[in-house]
Amino acid sequence: MSIVGVKGTHDVFNSESCEFSFVENVMKRISEFFAFTEVRPPVLEHSELFVRSVGESSDVVRKEMYTFNDKGDRSLTLRPEFTAGIARLIVQNKLTNLQELPIKMYYCGPVFRYERPQLGRYRQFNQFGVECVGHSNPIADVDVISLAYTILQSLGLENVTIKINTLGDEESRNNYKIALKEFFAKHIDNMCPDCKQRLELNPLRILDCKVPEDQEIVKNAPKMSDYLTPAAKEKFQYVLDLLESMGIPYEVDDTLVRGLDYYSDTVFEFHYKSSKGNNYGAIGAGGHYDKLIKEVGGPDVPGVGFSFGVERIVSVLKDDDLFPKDIYNGLDFYVMPMGASSQATAVAIANAVRMDGYSVDMCLDDVKLGSMFKRAEKKNAKFAIIIGENEIANSKVILKNLKTQEQLEVDIGSLRETIDDLFNENECECCCGDDCDCDCEDGHECHCHCHDKKEN
Ligand code: HAM
């Protein structure tokens, strides 16, 4: 019997790999524009880290962690999210002492949660996210939301809904928890076994319950907004005012509490419904955390961050046909040696052209020319380099444009130069039209600096 992949995991290959790379590259590039730098924490952490930070009352810690004892009998966990690991990394490496604050980091990689697999829900999936640690002004919250919003816009996701709420400061949350406990105590006999536990561990978690009958009860529960201290209210209003001034649309959702225990003050989620009507849940989420760094042994500094679910973003972009067509790898050249005696020349040409920065594959089988063309088409090659025995005798090859079917005979000695000319001609796209003083044709990505001159 053949072995299949683990339930809830998925293989990414061929065109989907191009889609993942495209999404991750846009996210990385824009995060770098916002002055975040890359961090690569390990996948394995001590289980205690997540218990202490994500919280014992969260579903992630209670039910979803991939935890095991290693050969040294240490309890280890495959990270179910990045934020706790980043906090540990900052504290362990004393970055709050060594670096200018705030520390701004982005990350990308797999995370693991033992959830029930369904549309947009996996047991191994990828997150891209950022954390900004060590700045107490709520403007940091807005900066991070603005980064996430810019990324989604750049990917073409125009109709994103940003749901936002505040969990207030510690005093607000303590008062709210007391009110929730009193309210749910009256209904708990009719609620699910999980909620019975949540009432003891953290009644805020009941607000996240997905059981429909419990959700009906939750609808009448006290609202966080009624328990905020004046300082927490003011802070939240400041965040909303800043978002407004930046033209970032939002919806205040006072039922939004998030499923991880480390949050305080601002929390938010990004939602997007594809035009096919598929609902993948939140495509990203995040929030502010006042005590996380302290909880893992560091100084008392706050942080804020978000994580996107990369699979969910790839799915909505695919559903709405938003991937640019040129992201799919195509070959620049397919080299076609005709007969065994042409192979040595073919290998040498293929390698030389590769060294010039073009992608080149070569037919390794001694097959007919027609079948080589079929292979080139399947590989989406732009040009064929045909090397026949007659041509070798004359030190020539045939260069064929597989789109226009135009072909020309080129001296082997000048092939690389011809190729460069060909690509420069095709790729130089200048928008300066007749005014342009460079050698290119027309288009819009020329490096001739006409723009700079015009602007000055
Ligand atoms: P989270 O809401 O648990 O937050 O996850 C962030 C995103 O990961 C979700 O919005 C969703 O897009 C994606 N996601 C979650 N579970 C799955 C799943 N089973 N399959 C596919 N995608 C999933 C966090 O992880 C926080 N660390 C975010 C954060 C960063 N808060 C502050 N900084």
Side-chain angles (χ1 to χ4, degrees):
M1 204 172 71
S2 62
I3 298 172
V4 295
V6 174
K7 187 175 176 186
T9 65
H10 62 117
D11 300 312
V12 176
F13 55 93
N14 287 353
S15 58
E16 213 182 10
S17 296
C18 304
E19 293 166 352
F20 271 73
S21 297
F22 170 74
V23 166
E24 290 168 0
N25 287 337
V26 168
M27 291 175 172
K28 287 180 186 178
R29 195 164 43 86
I30 296 176
S31 301
E32 283 166 10
F33 290 159
F34 277 68
F36 285 78
T37 54
E38 189 176 14
V39 61
R40 296 176 184 236
V43 170
L44 275 180
E45 296 279 1
H46 290 288
S47 307
E48 171 68 14
L49 172 70
F50 301 110
V51 176
R52 230 200 273 179
S53 57
V54 173
E56 266 175 309
S57 72
S58 66
D59 279 0
V60 169
V61 169
R62 284 177 51 237
K63 303 189 209 161
E64 296 169 2
M65 293 208 304
Y66 279 89
T67 295
F68 60 95
N69 280 10
D70 73 358
K71 292 193 168 63
D73 213 24
R74 302 170 197 90
S75 177
L76 303 182
T77 293
L78 297 179
R79 65 180 173 219
E81 59 112 50
F82 275 90
T83 314
I86 303 286
R88 195 264 314 138
L89 177 154
I90 289 175
V91 172
Q92 185 176 339
N93 292 286
K94 300 188 173 53
L95 298 189
T96 48
N97 296 338
L98 299 173
Q99 285 188 11
E100 184 74 19
L101 298 183
I103 297 160
K104 296 170 75 170
M105 294 172 158
Y106 74 79
Y107 48 81
C108 186
V111 296
F112 305 82
R113 294 185 190 176
Y114 192 80
E115 292 196 78
R116 200 161 56 80
Q118 51 185 281
L119 184 74
R121 178 157 293 149
Y122 300 94
R123 290 182 173 170
Q124 177 177 338
F125 58 99
N126 291 280
Q127 284 191 339
F128 176 93
V130 310
E131 307 299 335
C132 171
V133 169
H135 202 295
S136 50
N137 190 317
I139 201 163
D141 299 6
V142 178
D143 197 36
V144 156
I145 296 172
S146 153
L147 165 57
Y149 186 64
T150 307
I151 289 174
L152 295 173
Q153 294 251 300
S154 305
L155 288 169
L157 298 172
E158 296 285 342
N159 296 320
V160 172
T161 305
I162 303 178
K163 293 187 178 181
I164 189 165
N165 193 22
T166 179
L167 300 178
D169 48 24
E170 217 174 341
E171 188 186 335
S172 315
R173 272 194 313 287
N174 286 341
N175 291 339
Y176 186 43
K177 279 182 192 168
I178 293 170
L180 284 179
K181 215 165 181 173
E182 262 177 35
F183 172 82
F184 286 121
K186 291 183 223 141
H187 300 276
I188 202 67
D189 291 345
N190 302 321
M191 297 182 85
C192 73
D194 274 346
C195 281
K196 292 191 170 87
Q197 272 193 343
R198 289 173 181 137
L199 185 66
E200 295 313 315
L201 289 171
N202 181 357
L204 267 174
R205 292 279 78 81
I206 298 179
L207 303 180
D208 270 344
C209 181
K210 300 289 178 286
V211 176
E213 293 78 11
D214 291 4
Q215 284 179 340
E216 282 306 308
I217 297 172
V218 165
K219 275 184 192 161
N220 298 316
K223 298 278 178 267
M224 179 81 222
S225 48
D226 294 329
Y227 294 85
L228 292 176
T229 60
K233 256 187 202 162
E234 196 180 320
K235 220 186 226 180
F236 189 45
Q237 192 53 51
Y238 183 52
V239 169
L240 300 183
D241 289 346
L242 282 172
L243 288 175
E244 214 138 300
S245 71
M246 294 170 76
I248 300 176
Y250 62 82
E251 277 176 18
V252 175
D253 176 351
D254 60 8
T255 63
L256 183 70
V257 287
R258 308 275 303 122
L260 314 169
D261 281 357
Y262 48 66
Y263 291 116
S264 50
D265 290 308
T266 319
V267 287
F268 48 86
E269 284 183 358
F270 301 94
H271 290 257
Y272 182 88
K273 207 174 190 177
S274 74
S275 55
K276 285 193 182 142
N278 286 331
N279 192 350
Y280 295 92
I283 54 174
H288 181 100
Y289 40 89
D290 265 340
K291 298 288 167 220
L292 175 60
I293 303 291
K294 192 161 178 229
E295 243 148 44
V296 300
D300 195 0
V301 293
V304 58
F306 70 80
S307 307
F308 285 133
V310 179
E311 279 73 5
R312 292 188 185 178
I313 291 191
V314 167
S315 298
V316 295
L317 288 171
K318 219 186 296 203
D319 268 9
D320 283 358
D321 203 15
L322 288 170
F323 280 112
K325 298 289 170 270
D326 62 357
I327 64 165
Y328 301 101
N329 293 333
L331 267 187
D332 293 323
F333 294 95
Y334 193 61
V335 178
M336 304 177 173
M338 295 177 61
S341 60
S342 312
Q343 283 182 343
T345 311
V347 172
I349 289 179
N351 279 347
V353 178
R354 284 172 184 143
M355 291 306 108
D356 288 342
Y358 300 99
S359 57
V360 182
D361 201 1
M362 181 181 138
C363 184
L364 300 173
D365 300 318
D366 191 6
V367 292
K368 294 215 167 77
L369 195 58
S371 127
M372 289 201 249
F373 276 115
K374 278 194 191 125
R375 293 183 190 193
E377 193 182 329
K378 275 198 189 139
K379 287 172 184 279
N380 215 359
K382 295 191 184 93
F383 293 90
I385 300 176
I386 305 157
I387 308 173
E389 284 162 7
N390 286 346
E391 282 83 17
I392 291 183
N394 299 322
S395 292
K396 292 193 187 288
V397 294
I398 294 171
L399 190 57
K400 180 164 184 172
N401 183 326
L402 294 173
K403 199 168 159 203
T404 63
Q405 300 299 311
E406 283 169 301
Q407 62 178 51
L408 65 158
E409 210 175 38
V410 184
D411 278 335
I412 291 181
S414 57
L415 177 66
R416 291 164 76 178
E417 209 179 307
T418 310
I419 286 174
D420 276 343
D421 289 347
L422 208 77
F423 269 75
N424 286 337
E425 188 181 291
N426 281 351
E427 287 196 352
C428 187
E429 295 183 334
C430 172
C431 61
C432 311
D434 295 342
D435 292 344
C436 183
D437 58 4
C438 80
D439 291 332
C440 73
E441 305 291 340
D442 54 356
H444 53 251
E445 269 206 348
C446 173
H447 307 292
C448 65
H449 306 298
C450 290
H451 281 298
D452 312 4
K453 281 187 218 157
K454 275 181 191 164
E455 273 161 26
N456 287 333

